[in-house]
Amino acid sequence: MCLTLENGLTVEGEFIDLRISVETLPQGKTWYQLRHADDDDTEPATVKNGCVVVNFFGTLICEPISGIGNNEEIAITEWGFGD
């Protein structure tokens, strides 16, 4: 999955539509949870460095994202799945 965030960062990682256990992460990777909008559950709206309780869309496993603090949430402007 590839995400473009409102702050201009582009992030690539593995998407899974489940919550995962931190113990299952590959070495050097971290997880971020994706949230969908209240009125549209078909696409991700934000990425959060922490747990999404309401409107959970899935989990992104990737390299740590610089510029996103603990429990911070950033809007997604574009997204898609690679080839």
Side-chain angles (χ1 to χ4, degrees), residues 1 9-10 17 20 30 41 44-45 49 51 58 61 66 71-72 75 77 82:
M1 174 178 250
L9 289 176
T10 300
D17 61 350
I20 63 168
T30 192
D41 64 358
N49 184 2
C51 184
I61 301 168
S66 61
N71 254 350
E72 186 177 355
T77 57

Side-chain angles (χ1 to χ4, degrees), residues 2-70:
C2 183
L3 305 174
T4 302
L5 307 179
E6 71 177 348
N7 63 4
L9 289 176
T10 300
V11 180
E12 291 189 35
E14 298 294 322
F15 172 77
I16 185 167
D17 61 350
L18 303 169
R19 298 178 192 273
I20 63 168
S21 172
V22 176
E23 292 83 26
T24 63
L25 287 172
Q27 186 77 16
K29 302 287 184 176
T30 192
W31 60 271
Y32 297 89
Q33 291 192 348
L34 306 178
R35 180 189 310 272
H36 63 77
D38 286 337
D39 59 349
D40 184 0
D41 64 358
T42 63
E43 61 183 54
T46 63
V47 60
K48 183 175 182 181
N49 184 2
C51 184
V52 167
V53 178
V54 177
N55 296 350
F56 176 79
F57 185 81
T59 302
L60 183 70
I61 301 168
C62 61
E63 301 289 330
I65 303 171
S66 61
I68 180 170
N70 201 19

